[in-house]
Amino acid sequence: MSFRKRLLAGLALTLGLGSLAVSAAQAQDAPSLKGKRIGITVAGTEHYWDLKAYQGQIDEVKRLGGIPIALDAGRNDSRQIAQIQTLIAQKPDAIVEQLGSAPVLQPWLKKIRAAGIPLFTVDTISPYSINDTTSDNYSIGEKLALQLASDIKGRGNILVFNGFYSVPVCAIRYDELKLVLRAFPDIHIIQPELRDVIPNTVQNAYSQVTDMLQKYPNKGDIAAIWSAWDVPQVGATQAVLAAHRTEVRTYGVDGSPDVVKMVADPASPASAVAAQQPYLIGKTAIDTVARYLAGDHDLPPYTFLPAILVNKQNAADAAKALGQS
């Protein structure tokens, strides 16, 4: 049996609903943050994942008795840099940075550590972060790619949105897609790749996919559409439905409630979404901060939280497990 066939045959064993349980260390209550000021800087909050992770941090700081200094940059790099400068000047007990463009952020994350302020991150890989709390994006990227390959039976042309490779988690998911596709030589990424944008992500994705469906008008010309997050998936799905090309399947990451509902709909071309737990990710990041400030400096560099691959078979159960039903 070829490697490609073995992968497809084993797919059912790797893409189950899975467990949302966290480790005992993560589940236990965190130390108090009474009297501590915790800076929180986030790239933006207009997306479900971003907002829930941000809320999880703010709520947990308050629950533990601390004072959150929370700043939302509204997807503006210059504004986030200015906000980081403001936080450094205020000298909080710790700073948590969430998402953003790594090349832009790294010099400023370095400045946080140089100022003697403990730095923690959410979904941002940085040598200056004491701990990064995130999903296992390697597993997410692999399993989503395997689901796509299985659904299209290991052959066909696919469209790929790759506009945010500078965001580390998006890069990991994309790299895992490419790695899996090496085992499927009959799956081809149509070039040039599409570029997702912020803002107007849904509208832009709709427009780009509509143009590509017109360029490739025949059934079988395009088998699937992949994106590293699920907002482009919404626009892509809408475009596929509008063009009456429901044989084209769509895939994404994050698991916003509206996307999980689309996947649950048997008539929708949305075939799978890797659903994360953003609120728990934000909460866990703050719990890690609390442990560090309480004297536990033997922390791992990464804290990985589980995700669920939501597909047509498990969507109803997944929505319940995610608290979305």
Side-chain angles (χ1 to χ4, degrees), residues 29-111:
D29 203 16
S32 172
L33 285 174
K34 185 176 180 179
K36 303 293 187 183
R37 296 179 306 129
I38 309 301
I40 301 169
T41 169
V42 58
T45 57
E46 73 283 358
H47 178 219
Y48 173 83
W49 192 101
D50 303 342
L51 179 60
K52 296 299 286 186
Y54 184 59
Q55 289 176 335
Q57 294 171 68
I58 294 171
D59 290 350
E60 186 68 353
V61 171
K62 292 179 178 178
R63 189 184 76 83
L64 295 177
I67 303 167
I69 308 170
L71 302 174
D72 175 5
R75 293 291 172 187
N76 183 304
D77 289 342
S78 297
R79 186 179 301 143
Q80 188 171 23
I81 289 170
Q83 290 177 349
I84 289 173
Q85 290 175 305
T86 297
L87 287 175
I88 292 173
Q90 293 186 14
K91 297 189 179 299
D93 294 281
I95 292 176
V96 182
E97 191 283 323
Q98 176 181 312
L99 277 174
S101 174
V104 172
L105 286 172
Q106 296 301 351
W108 299 97
L109 301 183
K110 182 179 180 180
K111 288 179 184 293

Side-chain angles (χ1 to χ4, degrees), residues 250-269:
T250 70
Y251 300 83
V253 176
D254 283 336
S256 304
D258 55 339
V259 179
V260 173
K261 288 179 181 177
M262 289 194 305
V263 174
D265 181 357
S268 173

Side-chain angles (χ1 to χ4, degrees), residues 57 97 112 142 173 184 203 212-213 220 235 249 291:
Q57 294 171 68
E97 191 283 323
I112 292 173
E142 176 193 23
R173 297 165 193 166
F184 298 92
Q203 300 91 322
M212 295 304 290
L213 292 173
R249 300 169 178 266
R291 293 188 181 95

Side-chain angles (χ1 to χ4, degrees), residues 175-187:
D175 289 344
E176 289 297 316
L177 170 71
K178 294 293 290 288
L179 182 61
V180 168
L181 293 188
R182 286 169 55 185
F184 298 92
D186 294 327
I187 299 178

Side-chain angles (χ1 to χ4, degrees), residues 121-316:
T121 51
V122 171
D123 256 21
T124 300
I125 298 172
S126 172
Y128 310 109
S129 175
I130 293 168
N131 174 275
D132 179 39
T133 305
T134 185
S135 296
D136 182 351
N137 287 286
Y138 298 94
S139 176
I140 283 174
E142 176 193 23
K143 290 182 177 180
L144 187 67
L146 285 169
Q147 180 75 64
L148 182 155
S150 176
D151 288 345
I152 67 175
K153 298 178 172 55
R155 63 183 69 251
N157 299 318
I158 66 172
L159 296 173
V160 168
F161 281 94
N162 186 24
F164 292 102
Y165 194 81
S166 63
V167 177
V169 292
C170 293
I172 291 169
R173 297 165 193 166
Y174 175 85
D175 289 344
E176 289 297 316
L177 170 71
K178 294 293 290 288
L179 182 61
V180 168
L181 293 188
R182 286 169 55 185
F184 298 92
D186 294 327
I187 299 178
H188 305 285
I189 297 176
I190 295 173
Q191 300 294 332
E193 295 172 336
L194 306 182
R195 294 289 183 267
D196 37 336
V197 302
I198 295 174
N200 303 316
T201 308
V202 172
Q203 300 91 322
N204 183 270
Y206 179 97
S207 177
Q208 290 190 66
V209 171
T210 296
D211 290 345
M212 295 304 290
L213 292 173
Q214 292 172 351
K215 184 176 180 179
Y216 296 89
N218 300 316
K219 184 176 181 178
D221 285 349
I222 300 173
I225 304 169
W226 179 97
S227 55
W229 53 311
D230 61 9
V231 179
Q233 184 183 8
V234 173
T237 302
Q238 292 174 352
V240 168
L241 287 169
H244 305 288
R245 293 284 298 280
T246 52
E247 81 280 0
V248 180
R249 300 169 178 266
T250 70
Y251 300 83
V253 176
D254 283 336
S256 304
D258 55 339
V259 179
V260 173
K261 288 179 181 177
M262 289 194 305
V263 174
D265 181 357
S268 173
S271 293
V273 63
Q276 303 186 76
Q277 302 183 84
Y279 189 90
L280 182 58
I281 288 173
K283 175 187 181 301
T284 302
I286 297 302
D287 290 347
T288 302
V289 171
R291 293 188 181 95
Y292 181 87
L293 294 179
D296 182 1
H297 292 182
D298 188 24
L299 297 170
Y302 300 98
T303 301
F304 295 110
L305 274 75
I308 291 178
L309 184 68
V310 182
N311 55 33
K312 294 294 187 186
Q313 289 71 45
N314 70 7

